[in-house]
Amino acid sequence: MKPLDPRLLRHAKSARHWVLLAAACQIGVAALVVVQALLLAGALAAVVSDGAPAASVVRPAALLVLVVAARAGLAWVQERFAHRAAIRVIGELRAAVLDRITAAGPRALDGDNGPALTTLVTRGLD
């Protein structure tokens, strides 16, 4: 399964900018993971290989705490953007399904289609 189906963006145009913002946040989180790894590696290398005193890693440790906090904040923002995108997409798809059912008329709800369409419109799109 793909993380993002391109067909979904065709059907939910208003969510595109939210998806792009969430992707940008995720790129920022990935960059912060690299920075975090570099800070941690530098601090450990200084203590283990070079024999530097533990007090010399106070600054890298403080920077590491800041990077972790920034990652957490950016991840929270990314989740908010992703949630907004999901709400918009679900609303647009639900409206499109209801429009198609209304256009098809009462015969669309005959037989096995009725319960299936009801489930699709109520819980199925979530």
Side-chain angles (χ1 to χ4, degrees):
M1 173 181 257
K2 295 180 184 178
L4 179 65
D5 190 348
R7 294 176 298 173
L8 192 57
L9 289 178
R10 274 196 308 262
H11 292 291
K13 295 183 189 321
S14 70
R16 283 184 185 172
H17 70 282
W18 295 113
V19 171
L20 292 175
L21 287 172
C25 286
Q26 191 60 42
I27 290 169
V29 167
L32 288 173
V33 166
V34 172
V35 171
Q36 179 180 343
L38 290 173
L39 285 171
L40 190 57
L44 288 175
V47 171
V48 173
S49 297
D50 301 338
S56 67
V57 295
V58 171
R59 183 172 179 212
L63 288 174
L64 189 61
V65 168
L66 289 175
V67 168
V68 169
R71 271 184 62 200
L74 205 51
W76 179 79
V77 169
Q78 188 261 342
E79 287 291 324
R80 297 279 297 173
F81 288 155
H83 180 72
R84 287 182 182 173
I87 294 296
R88 295 262 175 116
V89 169
I90 290 168
E92 285 186 25
L93 290 175
R94 186 168 284 135
V97 169
L98 287 173
D99 288 344
R100 297 283 301 268
I101 292 171
T102 304
R107 290 204 167 238
L109 300 175
D110 286 346
D112 292 336
N113 288 340
L117 288 173
T118 301
T119 301
L120 177 65
V121 171
T122 56
R123 310 181 285 228
L125 290 175
D126 291 344

